[in-house]
Amino acid sequence: MRWQRPRRLALTVAAAGAMLSAGCSRSIIGDSGAPSGDGDAVPTPARCPYATGRPGLGAPLTTWEQAGPPGGSVRSILALGGETVVVGTGAWPEHTAGIYRTTAAAGAYTLSRRFTKTSVTALVVVPGTTRIYAGVGSRSGSPDDGVYLSTDGGATFDPVNAGLPALDAGNYGRRLRRLSVAATSGQSERLYALFEGSGACASCATASLYRLDDQAGGGVFQAAAMNNVLEGSDGPALAMVADVTDRDRVYLANDTTFFASADGGEYFTATTFGSTAFPPSGLAQIVALHADPRNAAHLLVSTTGSGLVESTDGGLSFTTAAPDFSTSAFTDVAFTESGLFATTDGDGLLAGSSASTLAPTGQCLVPVALTAVALPPDHPNGANPVYVGAANGAVWSSADGGVTFTPSATGIDELSGRLRVTEIAGVYTLWLLSGGGVFRSADLGGSWERLDIGPHCVADLAQDPDDPDRVLLATHEEAFAGCPAGHGVLAASLSESTVRRATGLDGRNVKAIAFDPSTTSPHARRVFAFESRGEAEPDTPGIPPTGLYLSTDSGGSFAATNLVGVPTDDFGDAPLVVTSDGVVFLGMRPAGANPEPTLWRSADQGSTATAAWSEVWRPTGIIVDPTGALLMSGWFGGGVGLKRSTDLASPSFAPFDAALTTFDRFVNAMAKGSMPRLLIATESGVQYAADGGATDGSTFAALNDGLPAGAAGASVAVIPGASDTGFVITKGFGMFRRQLP
């Protein structure tokens, strides 16, 4: 199945003022202290300020308190007059989303409305008013899907769904899986809403277009007939925009065809691309349509695989624009009086006087995962502000026409990811591996530093015992966070912002990495890494096969062990643990639906390996505790998400007692500190065992006081101390910390 990028409607905002452009600033710095096996240097962003943490956060409390870096997956941005900015969020997998608002570009955001299991896919303001419409749509259907209206400049939003299709189970395929919203100006207001159909029901195989003509709200959406939309096309319409000068003219497109209607969506005509069928060859997907508010005949189609496609005659003919970026995935466009800005997932922010003159701009912006761009209708004090949203964590603002940017996400607490704790010579470091980047904290989560490692998604890390300034990063594919491919193992120098690529796993998805504590030779330690390609990719000559890889030079270079060619599903975690005597335990999700090897064990550096346990679904964590017990958490078919074995040579797992069945098989992570306490992240929050899971009869208690109601735990960590400090990353509500009881 091909990668499906989240689709959204581009927001088009007329703006005034001059536009400046400048090249992105990157650096490649040599790393003289790296092991000799480290490979080529990898480009990294220029070092730029990134404010994180929560000033004044004191000692951890005895209830959960918000503690992590702010951020979330930004899907849409609307810039209003002055410094008012409205932001819509929503990540994949969909947990929570929100609309946030600030009245000071560098200030904190406040939550206007929260949504569950969906995303805010579009924001549009009715020109000359304070009315803002928000489109909320999910991939699989949510009770919160629909259209929302704000009459106070984004401070509050209320649903306006009269006339839209019902969101009941029998109508599953017509839930708002993709919602696009457009509004016209110059005539009385009209709002268009596009629903994407689904094969989930026979009557829902086409798109649905609705229009709303009531300016004051409280009106009823009317369905457009959409005659001729699907004749000769491939699938439902996925993108839509209205003509800003003619409310009856509306455009639709899917991955093969462009359509135009002059009667409010009742009848559409298909448009060709020059002498061949629209769109040009090489197109993977239509992302959005954009109408130029300065020129009604000027249309842009943002795509993946064909860059920008342009029409200057109202959609009668098209040509490929921005030829230098024809393979880029364009995500949004904003027009100025003298040109335009465009966001991409791969080439960063582009600016130019026309689509054909676009060039990179925006120092400090990481070039991937940019999702939205907006400009206000007025430019206070001639500041020429530009706002850019990113799927990986922040809103970036520029006060100089898009030349330099600073990030701001204070008040947006939706960042998720994986927590890790490292210890070198008694010094503990807390790490957050998220779509927003890699963050580290040396003060129990009170303040955070964001590492400048470039456009990489990190699944795991290991700190070099001989050089705490050097960290090995396991990178992997995470398309919805802007990482369409893995980049193997990277060695990062924390003080110099240097990143070098380890040899042997270049371009591969690496899910786990760990130093072997039984080796002590400086710069010649054994390091294990697990590369997971997934069952859909057969072994290819010249491409490393899925399996366990070994480095004998502290992670500078890797070679395959004999535990390779293992069929796995590329979804989820792959916990990897190396014991003090060098025994490797590797958990993975089997590719099949029947019980298959879930846990592998090797006592000879991967020369031989045995399938230590077979199960359905996948493990999420492995702990070998000081008593010699092996704990394994996961999503298992046996009905309990936590198992325990006292035999490390031939593990035979027993599930914990019936107390754990309250959250069934969904244990997302676990962690232990110095005291005998076992912390577990589950779909119902956090639970803990006071005896550390000493027996399979250990009892667990909920530990959710201070967490948002209904928050699921995604990852947990514990830092030992006089009183252990626990940390949890929730699904959609950010990070929290507390003293453990």
Side-chain angles (χ1 to χ4, degrees), residues 189-333:
E189 172 189 337
R190 173 170 287 175
L191 184 73
Y192 288 95
L194 177 69
F195 293 65
E196 182 183 346
S198 165
C201 67
S203 63
C204 305
T206 63
S208 303
L209 182 65
Y210 288 78
R211 57 180 182 259
L212 177 66
D213 290 331
D214 188 342
Q215 299 182 51
V220 177
F221 278 93
Q222 301 294 323
M226 296 180 66
N227 292 315
N228 196 44
V229 168
L230 291 181
E231 292 181 13
S233 63
D234 180 20
L238 302 173
M240 177 270 292
V241 70
D243 188 324
V244 296
T245 62
D246 182 355
R247 72 174 194 166
D248 287 328
R249 190 162 185 83
V250 61
Y251 306 99
L252 299 176
N254 62 16
D255 287 346
T256 63
T257 312
F258 180 90
F259 299 94
S261 171
D263 59 4
E266 295 301 306
Y267 186 86
F268 284 84
T269 56
T271 301
T272 60
F273 177 79
S275 60
T276 61
F278 176 88
S281 61
L283 174 72
Q285 288 178 297
I286 295 288
V287 178
L289 303 179
H290 316 275
D292 190 339
R294 308 163 304 176
N295 179 0
H298 185 209
L299 301 172
L300 290 175
V301 185
S302 57
T303 77
T304 64
S306 295
L308 278 179
V309 180
E310 184 175 35
S311 173
T312 58
D313 55 13
L316 296 178
S317 62
F318 287 85
T319 58
T320 300
D324 292 340
F325 306 97
S326 60
T327 60
S328 296
F330 280 78
T331 55
D332 199 7
V333 172

Side-chain angles (χ1 to χ4, degrees), residues 490-534:
L490 303 179
S493 172
L494 303 178
S495 62
E496 297 180 2
S497 284
T498 304
V499 178
R500 288 184 174 273
R501 184 178 290 112
T503 59
L505 283 170
D506 186 20
R508 306 312 302 160
N509 287 330
V510 181
K511 288 298 189 72
I513 191 165
F515 277 89
D516 182 349
S518 69
T519 57
T520 58
S521 300
H523 303 299
R525 294 178 183 263
R526 286 195 293 267
V527 182
F528 292 93
F530 177 65
E531 192 274 346
S532 174
R533 191 182 327 154

Side-chain angles (χ1 to χ4, degrees), residues 16-20 341 375-376 378-386 398-402:
M19 178 179 59
L20 303 175
F341 288 93
L375 296 87
D378 61 341
H379 289 168
N381 304 319
N384 298 328
V386 181
S398 170
D400 56 11

Side-chain angles (χ1 to χ4, degrees), residues 599-623:
L599 180 68
W600 293 81
R601 178 186 183 276
S602 177
D604 55 8
Q605 294 85 57
S607 295
T608 60
T610 58
W613 186 256
S614 295
E615 180 62 274
V616 180
W617 292 90
R618 64 181 175 93
T620 57
I622 297 172
I623 290 177

Side-chain angles (χ1 to χ4, degrees), residues 59 68 82-83 136 170 249 320 336 346 389 444 463 482 496 620 696:
E83 293 189 338
V136 179
R249 190 162 185 83
T320 300
T336 73
L444 299 179
Q463 195 169 13
E496 297 180 2
T620 57
D696 55 22

